[in-house]
Amino acid sequence: MVKCSHGDYMRTFYLFKIKKNILKSYKYSYEELFSLLEDIHLRSNEDIILCYEIFKSIVSPIDKDKYSEYIKNKNICHENYICYNDIHNINDYYDDENTRMLINNSYIKISSNKNIPSFFFDMKSFKNIFVCDFEHHDYFLLEEVI
């Protein structure tokens, strides 16, 4: 675990936009979906082509510009928010939150000292977002938790 300067532990969340038909298939067994994504996440480079094909079959691309603009518009008025390119940061000393979000074309990565980062609430309207914390074996569908 990575420790923050103020004593809290950082968590790293990976958010994937899961294809609707895949999500229906795993509806009662998110454990299997998590295991599949974790296996892809942990694979070595020699299996990269196979992993990419599997990944492509279950995960939809993310409209990086659209998501980034949406997050920016939701937070731009907050003094604790900073955005540079597709990297969004919240450094909120009042709520003791230190969160960094990077939006990619295939996934979103959030590092935070919070178990439920503020960005999760901003993204609650996004559908079929599956959240994985591979280090802590934690996973959930964002719209079911937030």
Side-chain angles (χ1 to χ4, degrees):
M1 264 186 219
V2 178
K3 205 167 190 180
C4 297
S5 59
H6 55 311
D8 292 330
Y9 289 97
M10 295 295 285
R11 292 190 64 181
T12 302
F13 301 97
Y14 293 87
L15 287 70
F16 304 97
K17 184 174 174 67
I18 305 296
K19 291 183 177 181
K20 198 179 266 188
N21 63 324
I22 298 297
L23 207 52
K24 282 183 183 178
S25 299
Y26 288 102
K27 183 159 181 79
Y28 300 105
S29 183
Y30 291 144
E31 169 74 28
E32 289 180 37
L33 180 57
F34 173 80
S35 294
L36 184 58
L37 289 167
E38 182 180 42
D39 191 42
I40 293 169
H41 177 74
L42 297 174
R43 285 286 172 148
S44 65
N45 285 341
E46 60 202 39
D47 295 329
I48 198 157
I49 293 171
L50 175 61
C51 289
Y52 177 72
E53 291 302 318
I54 295 169
F55 185 81
K56 233 173 49 172
S57 71
I58 61 174
V59 174
S60 295
I62 291 174
D63 186 340
K64 184 168 93 168
D65 294 334
K66 178 183 160 189
Y67 277 41
S68 192
E69 190 64 27
Y70 179 84
I71 295 297
K72 186 187 284 185
N73 288 337
K74 293 283 270 181
N75 290 284
I76 198 70
C77 62
H78 300 120
E79 64 185 35
N80 58 7
Y81 171 78
I82 298 168
C83 178
Y84 181 73
N85 290 334
D86 296 308
I87 301 172
H88 305 264
N89 290 287
I90 292 177
N91 292 307
D92 189 340
Y93 296 104
Y94 300 112
D95 285 335
D96 191 32
E97 179 177 4
N98 184 0
T99 300
R100 179 178 190 263
M101 178 170 64
L102 172 63
I103 301 176
N104 295 295
N105 291 317
S106 54
Y107 67 93
I108 298 169
K109 183 179 179 182
I110 298 177
S111 299
S112 181
N113 65 328
K114 294 289 193 181
N115 287 325
I116 310 274
S118 298
F119 290 130
F120 282 2
F121 295 99
D122 295 338
M123 297 187 307
K124 66 183 174 189
S125 64
F126 298 169
K127 299 296 180 201
N128 305 331
I129 301 295
F130 191 66
V131 180
C132 299
D133 177 349
F134 297 116
E135 185 179 349
H136 296 98
H137 200 77
D138 191 12
Y139 53 91
F140 52 90
L141 191 62
L142 187 64
E143 61 196 78
E144 290 180 356
V145 173
I146 303 297

